[in-house]
Each structure stands twice: as C-alpha cells, then as structure tokens.
Amino acid sequence: MKNRKSIVIIVLTLVLISVLLVGRWLRVFDLDVLRNHRNAFESELPDSSVESSALFIPELIDMTHNNSEFEITVDETEFEFFPGYKAQVKSYNEQGYLGKTMRLKRGNTFYPSVTNNLDEITTIHWHGLEVAGESDGAMGSVAIVNPGETKTYELSVDQQASTIWYHPHAKGFTASQAYEGLAGLIIIEDEYSNDLNLPSDYGVNDLPIVLQAKLFEAEGNLNYGNENTEQSFENGDNSLFNGLLNFEDETGENSETTDGFVIMTNGAYRPYVTVANEVIRLRTLNGSNHGIMDISASDDTKLHIIATDGGFLEAPSEQEQFEIAAGQRFEVLLDLTDKEIGETVDVIANNQVVLTVVVSEESNWSTALPNGLVAISPFEEYNEQKTTHTYALGRNTINGKQMDMMRIDETFVKDEIYYFEVTNEDDENHSFHIHNSQFLVVELNGELIDYKSSGWKDTIYLRPGESMKLQVKFRFTGDYMYHCHILIHEEKGMMGTFRVVDEE
Ligand code: C2O
Ligand code: CU
Ligand code: CU
C-alpha cells in the first residue's frame, strides 16, 4: 500500500516537472505575424493560433546490410500541417508526409522497390547518388512507374558518406509531387564516417531537417501558386504538365525569394526538439520547389558546417550563416555543451524560426567539435585546365534548348575528367544539378576558388550573370540529365540529357 502511494507521488511529480519544462516551449504562435507580411505572396494560414509541435522524425530504415531490400509505396495521404486542418498530400509508405529515412553503406547493393498507388505516373530519383543510368529513376520510359505498377531499382552504393535524398522525377509530375510531400532523406555511411566521433544517434543528436517553403490556403490545404501565370511551353509537352506552382514576383518566376512563404520543417510549422547539452548534428535539406534559404541560429550560436551535398569538408567550417538552395544539403553541428538545461536556440531560415532546439537534459556523452574530417581529393590538381563544356542558363532553357528525352545532348566517357562552365545568362536566378555526379567548383566568375572549403556538390545556384567552373567526373554509365532544380523551370524544359559510355 505504502509502496503504491509513493509510486503515485513520484509519477505525479515527474508529470508536473515535464509539464512545466515542456510548457515553456509549447508557445502559442500568432500566425497574424505571417499573414501581415506585405510581400508578393502571402500564405494564408488556418484562422487560428497554432501550438508548436515536436519535430517529426521520419522512421530510420537501416539498409546497411548487403543486398537489403525495401518496399516503398507512393500514396495519397491526408496530413495536418497545422493541427486540426487537414490537407490532401502525398507521401511514401503512407507516412502522412515525406518518406522514411534510409541508411545505406558504401560497398553494399541495395534493392528498393517502388509501388505506385497514385492514379498518375511517378518515378523515384536518388538525388546525389552515383548509380547506373537504369536505376537513376529519371530518364526515358524505363524510369516511369505507372499507376498500380511496382519497379525495383538496383543501387550499388560506391561513394562517400553523405546525406542525399530521393524524390519523384516523372516529367510533368515532378514539381507537383515534390510539392505535395514526396521526398525523403538517405544517409550514406562509409568506412570513415563512424570513426569521426560525430553525433550519429538518429533522431536524438543526429536530426533530419527537411526545410520546405510552402503556401497554404486558409482551410489548411497547400496553395499551388498563381493561376494567372501564363503557361506556354515552346517545345514541352503541355498535356503532361500537371499543377500550377508558378510563383512569380519581381525577382522572376519561382526565383530566389521565399518571402511570404511559410517554411515548414519536416512538415511542421516552427517545431521544437529536445536535446542534451552536447554537440548536435542537423542534416539540412532545402526540399523546396524553388528558392534559396539563408540559415542562421539565434544568440550568436555558431554553425559548424561539416558536410555539403556529396560528403564531408576537411574540417568543420564555422559560420554565422550559410545559404542553401533548393536541392542542396548541408550537415551542420551546433555546439550546445555550454548551455544550461532549459536554454533554447532557434534555427532561422530567411528570418523565420524553423526549429527551436531545447536543451532539456545533461549529456552523458562527451562530445566536442571534431578538428579534422575527411580529405577532399580533387580528380586531378586544378591548374586552370581548359573548359570542355559550356552551359548557358536562359529562361527555361539550357544552351538555348529545351528538354527532349529523345535527344542526347552530350556523351561523356566514364572516369574522364571534364570542366564544365555554367553561366547564368538570364536575369533571374537558376540552379544547375547534374545527375550521377558529385563535383567540385573550381572557379567563380573566372576567379579561382577554394574548392576544399566549398566542398562536394551536386547542385549549384547562380544569380544573374554569375558563372562557375566545375571539375566533373562520371563513374557510372547510362543515360542521365542535368537541369535547373527550380522544379517549375525543370518542368518547363530547363534540362539537358547526357550519356556516359565506357569508351569512346
Ligand atoms: Cu533532385 Cu534531377 O533531381
Ligand atoms: Cu538528381
Ligand atoms: Cu531555373
């Protein structure tokens, strides 16, 4: 009897303490702040205040064993971006929104299958993965997964530890399906990544952070943009184009700005996450259809960038802020070892709080920021070798052309080194993403740049007039594409195709 009484007292005390602790961060946000933004776009929001919710952590699927298989389904789902307001979206494995995180290991082969439960075509493209063309999930009819069909991919993972991602890539449906929630993270581990003593407890101190700029209707559904925007496709197939997703403002169509958009974090508005007072790792993906985000933290907390799209930097790079364009990833460490229990740090993207990190317990792990990470070895020393290929980005065109799946624009030889010069000749912003490649940027606007500090990339972002020179090598063969990762530009034909062959 006595025992039971003391248990009840202990439980009640614990409940009281947690209510007090959590209550401090369950702030009630006033959405009018966002509604009153006077911008080109104004996301409407459910006509109520919204409580901050805990950061949603997609389940981690451990696929680090050789020949592992995983079944991915593509589903229509309902999801509440704002509690109490249902939105019609899409997700993988009926998760509600987004997809599960998969952990893969270098040296292993992974066989994911995708079953399309939608009533429209889809594919899965493994953005950032270097893989044979047949499994890249983007080029030609072989990639298409029709409604009701299942397709199995063979992914032989042979690249550095990194954070990459997966999303649909069926022409005409890429932009709408990505906007509606089809995206997920992939973590690649290798022989070095586990020895670096980095935070790697998924969901605890190693956090998936998918940032997405969205517009909403007042009833909670996604808003698809400006219906009045003219939709003419010079060579594109209009009939395939599904969805509007044109957000035009003074900086151009779907260009730089995310002003007026709400930046969601793993599908939630300004969520919080509780952590210990240790070093934590944020695997950030800008999973938006367009736009660049300027990421910083409150209270002068420094961001220590440890990895870019394709792998680690040589050492953490301490920054006050960094820019992440749609499609890119940055892994960042926050050093919370000096924080008191109860302190918070806000992560900010384009002036919006996108995550509140709450230090809620003592760490039982002694972490410190690492000094060194992994060497970046270029494919060859860069001595101002000549440009081998040029790409002029125009208004929804590359080199004046629009996408034609039936046309192969270039052929490359596997394992040769190429120098691409990419120039934005348009007066709005564009990006450039290359499939089957992790490359280094060796020049910016004709000046040498320190590629070791900018790191491995698969996506670059160029403002009007900017140019970048890239050192590129392809290690797998097949048919692929490069394109602007502003998805509506891609849909409008801002893509080119290439073939990688074994020998000339
Ligand atoms: Cu992230 Cu061709 O795509
Ligand atoms: Cu890609
Ligand atoms: Cu573009």
Side-chain angles (χ1 to χ4, degrees), residues 275-279 336-339 341 359-363 367:
V275 298
N277 56 352
E278 58 193 22
V279 175
L336 306 174
T337 51
D338 288 341
K339 300 284 178 208
I341 306 304
V359 179
S360 65
E361 58 183 298
E362 288 295 337
S363 174
T367 40

Side-chain angles (χ1 to χ4, degrees), residues 396-434:
N396 301 323
T397 61
I398 297 179
N399 289 340
K401 292 181 286 189
Q402 287 192 310
M403 173 70 164
D404 181 351
M405 288 261 195
M406 305 310 285
R407 177 188 74 214
I408 297 292
D409 293 306
E410 276 103 37
T411 299
F412 300 104
V413 177
K414 182 185 163 202
D415 294 331
E416 298 245 306
I417 299 163
Y418 297 97
Y419 289 93
F420 287 15
E421 187 145 346
V422 187
T423 307
N424 184 357
E425 294 183 350
D426 196 15
D427 54 12
E428 63 178 64
N429 303 280
H430 293 287
S431 67
F432 192 73
H433 164 54
I434 313 177

Side-chain angles (χ1 to χ4, degrees), residues 253-255 393-397 426 428-432 483-490 494:
E253 290 177 341
N254 301 73
S255 218
L393 309 182
R395 181 63 49 94
N396 301 323
T397 61
D426 196 15
E428 63 178 64
N429 303 280
H430 293 287
S431 67
F432 192 73
H483 57 86
C484 178
H485 218 285
I486 295 175
L487 296 181
I488 197 72
H489 296 179
E490 175 193 349
M494 195 167 176

Side-chain angles (χ1 to χ4, degrees), residues 125-128 136-138 165-169 174 326-329 433-435 458-459 481-485 487 490 495:
H125 165 60
W126 319 92
H127 178 132
D136 187 54
W165 62 302
Y166 60 105
H167 64 76
H169 217 301
T174 307
Q328 292 182 328
R329 287 85 60 212
H433 164 54
I434 313 177
H435 285 214
D458 56 47
T459 306
M481 49 185 57
Y482 47 77
H483 57 86
C484 178
H485 218 285
L487 296 181
E490 175 193 349
M495 288 199 265

Side-chain angles (χ1 to χ4, degrees), residues 72-229:
I72 301 170
T73 61
V74 191
D75 306 286
E76 306 261 1
T77 40
E78 265 184 357
F79 185 71
E80 295 186 1
F81 292 101
F82 302 94
Y85 293 84
K86 284 199 176 29
Q88 303 306 314
V89 295
K90 296 184 168 65
S91 66
Y92 291 121
N93 294 84
E94 292 184 286
Q95 187 170 259
Y97 189 68
L98 301 174
K100 310 220 183 275
T101 301
M102 290 180 262
R103 182 178 267 163
L104 309 182
K105 198 166 168 217
R106 182 174 196 164
N108 288 348
T109 301
F110 171 44
Y111 296 91
S113 70
V114 54
T115 298
N116 182 3
N117 296 329
L118 307 177
D119 52 17
E120 59 194 33
I121 58 167
T122 194
T123 75
I124 296 188
H125 165 60
W126 319 92
H127 178 132
L129 194 69
E130 294 170 76
V131 70
E134 315 84 87
S135 281
D136 187 54
M139 261 298 271
S141 51
V142 288
I144 300 297
V145 189
N146 287 304
E149 270 180 13
T150 298
K151 179 184 160 69
T152 302
Y153 299 80
E154 177 177 323
L155 309 180
S156 295
V157 183
D158 182 24
Q159 68 192 80
Q160 295 185 57
S162 47
T163 304
I164 60 167
W165 62 302
Y166 60 105
H167 64 76
H169 217 301
K171 183 142 174 51
F173 299 90
T174 307
S176 60
Q177 291 179 357
Y179 192 66
E180 291 173 327
L182 294 179
L185 286 180
I186 297 175
I187 296 172
I188 299 179
E189 301 289 4
D190 66 10
E191 60 275 38
Y192 306 110
S193 54
N194 290 327
D195 295 337
L196 292 170
N197 199 32
L198 290 168
S200 52
D201 196 351
Y202 179 81
V204 176
N205 57 21
D206 181 354
L207 304 170
I209 306 288
V210 180
L211 300 172
Q212 295 174 309
K214 301 282 178 198
L215 291 185
F216 292 96
E217 308 281 356
E219 320 76 62
N221 257 309
L222 290 167
N223 175 310
Y224 288 81
N226 183 3
E227 303 191 26
N228 300 321
T229 307

